[in-house]
Amino acid sequence: MAGTNAQALELNEIIAGLSPTTMALLSRKGKAIYYPRRGILAQGAAAKDKAINATIGTAYGDDGKPMVLPSLAKRLNVDPSLAFPYAPSEGSKPLREKWQELIRQKNPSLGQQAISLPIVSCGVTHGLSLAGYLFLDEGDEIILPDLYWENYDLVFGNACGAEFTFFRLFQGDDFDIDSFTAALLNRLPKKKVVLLNFPNNPSGYAPTVEVAGKIVAALKKSAEQGNRIAVILDDSYFGLFFEAGLCQESLFSWLAGLHENILAIKLDGITKEEYAWGLRVGFISYATKNGTRKLYQALEDKTAGAVRGSISNACHPSQSLFLEALKSAGYRDEKAHNKRSIEIRFNRVRQTLADHPEYKRYFESLPFNSGYFMCLKLFDVSAPKVWQRLLDHYSTGVISYDEGNLFRVAFASTPLAKIELLFDHIYRACQDCAGDHTS
Ligand SMILES: Cc1ncc(COP(=O)(O)O)c(C=O)c1O
């Protein structure tokens, strides 16, 4: 490639040699990006322990400590040296190692499969943007469910120029494996980018172990047909599983060593998993069959280069705070407590729907078993009209989707005591809009 930086060419050579699939999947920008080890960063690193270090763009006091404002520093219960200087573009090394260890703990089926060290992003959204930057060219197809997080439009549509191909998420009460399989097959093998998000936003659906097995089998079949597939896994709501029999691991576990033609790209973070929405710490991790440290290092370098060229590095205090929190005695119990609170609300939603068969006159739930949300399919009334009525007459807000005439209800954000009332309001607003007050 004429004009491509020599450091990018070196990374490309490594990647092409060790994983032709990954090379074929990289976008033009992905092929061109590199982590600039030889410029300012290298010279800064070379001067790190020298008597005089006049290299870096961080002000230090005469005592050698970061020149912070005490009125700001005193508000952070963390060593200023772990908060005020820049974090590395790839993220704090101890945090990356810890998150990798946690991925392994939470996904035991990974076994001995080598995976990359996670690169830290500024929240999961930024991780998704990085995946788009590295693997999607203008006009590339991205295959995703017809129920998806709205922001994918901006991340993959507006920013990358990707073309969306939807598969139907549901057929009756379960995952539409036929629609998914059909989207993966084509006459001639080609590059494919697939995006899966379980637990799903907006539906609150996650597959059972059995269905997860079918999804993985469909991807394997497509890979065996010669398709080269980047599977982007948006695991934002990982861990919030509320029903027996669900696949409690990320599909990353199963895809990591599945086939040389599959590159699994896991996006996760502390946003929902660790109840830290505004701290903005996400991670991007890679795995492919026979992936080696050398391959992953090259991919990590490219990803860190894309971080360097966009946000430079993610928020340092947030990374340090989370790492410290992991060491606290109460951490596990606190996390279990929050999950339990959401699960109790989930159960209350289920119970409320079961207690009110009359609701079926106007709405029914789509399958839901996990995450933050559930969806209602409205009949004989228009979702936008009912939505307006709910706001105006019942002081109640939900998300309305014209497409499919759906409501998304966030039980994770609704106090337990208001859940029955919420559904009562939805029912009444439907009655109002239908002009139907017989029941
Ligand atoms: C499916 C999904 N992915 C990603 C995100 C964004 O996560 P973050 O806030 O970490 O950027 C959200 C947030 O609502 C989401 O629902």
Side-chain angles (χ1 to χ4, degrees):
M1 279 170 69
T4 302
N5 182 284
Q7 293 172 82
L9 290 174
E10 272 173 38
L11 296 177
N12 292 350
E13 208 175 297
I14 294 169
I15 293 172
L18 294 172
S19 172
T21 287
T22 304
M23 192 60 198
L25 288 170
L26 284 171
S27 64
R28 274 190 293 279
K29 282 186 195 160
K31 290 190 174 88
I33 197 76
Y34 60 95
Y35 188 66
R37 293 199 179 279
R38 293 177 201 148
I40 292 175
L41 298 172
Q43 294 182 37
K48 197 160 181 260
D49 302 321
K50 300 301 168 200
I52 299 176
N53 179 358
T55 61
I56 48 176
T58 306
Y60 277 84
D62 290 333
D63 60 358
K65 295 189 177 144
M67 195 187 281
V68 301
L69 300 178
S71 53
L72 189 52
K74 75 177 182 200
R75 286 167 207 284
L76 267 178
N77 187 16
V78 62
D79 179 345
S81 68
L82 296 175
F84 285 85
Y86 293 122
S89 290
E90 64 274 20
S92 137
K93 187 85 186 290
L95 176 65
R96 298 173 65 209
E97 287 170 350
K98 187 71 195 172
W99 194 256
Q100 190 196 49
E101 186 189 316
L102 290 172
I103 288 179
R104 288 200 177 282
Q105 271 173 24
K106 292 180 275 195
N107 298 280
S109 304
L110 272 173
Q112 296 305 309
Q113 167 69 38
I115 62 174
S116 76
L117 261 187
I119 294 285
V120 177
S121 57
C122 181
V124 180
T125 309
H126 180 229
L128 292 162
S129 302
L130 292 170
Y133 180 104
L134 293 166
F135 298 102
L136 283 168
D137 279 314
E138 178 103 24
D140 274 357
E141 178 192 50
I142 179 166
I143 298 169
L144 70 168
D146 57 356
L147 293 172
Y148 64 97
W149 183 41
E150 182 185 65
N151 201 18
Y152 294 161
D153 287 335
L154 302 187
V155 173
F156 298 113
N158 289 66
C160 304
E163 300 288 338
F164 289 19
T165 295
F166 298 110
F167 66 88
R168 263 196 323 270
L169 183 58
F170 296 125
Q171 165 76 329
D173 284 341
D174 218 333
F175 186 84
D176 191 338
I177 192 67
D178 294 337
S179 178
F180 180 64
T181 306
L184 290 174
L185 304 177
N186 31 268
R187 268 182 292 128
L188 293 175
K190 60 177 187 179
K191 164 180 172 176
K192 288 199 168 276
V193 179
V194 178
L195 171 56
L196 293 172
N197 163 225
F198 299 128
N200 172 265
N201 176 2
S203 68
Y205 169 85
T208 58
V209 175
E210 191 193 342
V211 171
K214 289 183 187 168
I215 293 172
V216 170
L219 285 162
K220 188 171 185 196
K221 192 168 168 205
S222 177
E224 282 166 354
Q225 290 186 342
N227 293 302
R228 292 179 148 156
I229 317 169
V231 188
I232 299 176
L233 300 163
D234 180 342
D235 286 347
S236 289
Y237 298 89
F238 181 84
L240 295 168
F241 302 112
F242 305 132
E243 209 174 53
L246 298 184
C247 179
Q248 304 263 345
E249 294 189 34
S250 166
L251 288 186
F252 189 68
S253 290
W254 299 12
L255 296 174
L258 190 68
H259 197 283
E260 284 88 351
N261 280 349
I262 293 178
L263 176 69
I265 307 166
K266 177 172 169 52
L267 287 322
D268 52 20
I270 72 170
T271 312
K272 323 268 176 180
E273 256 195 75
E274 310 289 343
Y275 306 90
W277 308 269
L279 295 196
R280 314 311 297 142
V281 177
F283 300 91
I284 177 164
S285 312
Y286 302 99
T288 188
K289 189 171 183 186
N290 300 326
T292 58
R293 183 66 216 133
K294 198 169 177 196
L295 170 71
Y296 294 136
Q297 183 63 58
L299 265 174
E300 287 164 27
D301 272 19
K302 282 192 174 280
T303 313
V307 173
R308 175 88 176 142
S310 53
I311 59 161
S312 193
N313 46 75
C315 175
H316 197 174
S318 298
Q319 297 181 50
S320 300
L321 284 171
F322 175 59
L323 200 51
E324 284 302 307
L326 284 173
K327 297 177 197 153
S328 347
Y331 164 76
R332 272 175 189 276
D333 287 348
E334 292 162 15
K335 195 171 162 182
H337 171 83
N338 285 6
K339 179 181 170 183
R340 185 72 195 133
S341 302
I342 298 177
E343 186 169 16
I344 291 170
R345 293 177 194 170
F346 163 85
N347 287 328
R348 183 64 59 87
V349 173
R350 280 263 174 101
Q351 192 57 51
T352 304
L353 293 174
D355 289 346
H356 292 277
E358 72 277 15
Y359 289 176
K360 290 203 164 120
R361 163 77 185 82
Y362 299 113
F363 53 82
E364 256 181 344
S365 66
L366 297 184
F368 71 108
N369 50 29
S370 56
Y372 271 27
F373 311 106
M374 54 89 63
C375 280
L376 295 175
K377 170 111 187 119
L378 273 59
F379 316 112
D380 299 335
V381 279
S382 128
K385 276 196 189 147
V386 181
W387 174 81
Q388 193 66 56
R389 182 82 188 166
L390 272 170
L391 284 175
D392 295 347
H393 291 262
Y394 296 95
S395 189
T396 298
V398 295
I399 301 290
S400 162
Y401 296 95
D402 294 4
E403 190 88 32
N405 211 37
L406 297 176
F407 276 174
R408 186 189 76 178
V409 177
F411 50 81
S413 70
T414 309
L416 183 65
K418 291 188 175 169
I419 282 180
E420 281 167 284
L421 190 63
L422 163 66
F423 284 91
D424 177 63
H425 285 175
I426 296 174
Y427 179 63
R428 284 162 187 264
C430 286
Q431 283 185 315
D432 298 346
C433 290
D436 181 357
H437 286 276
T438 50
S439 52

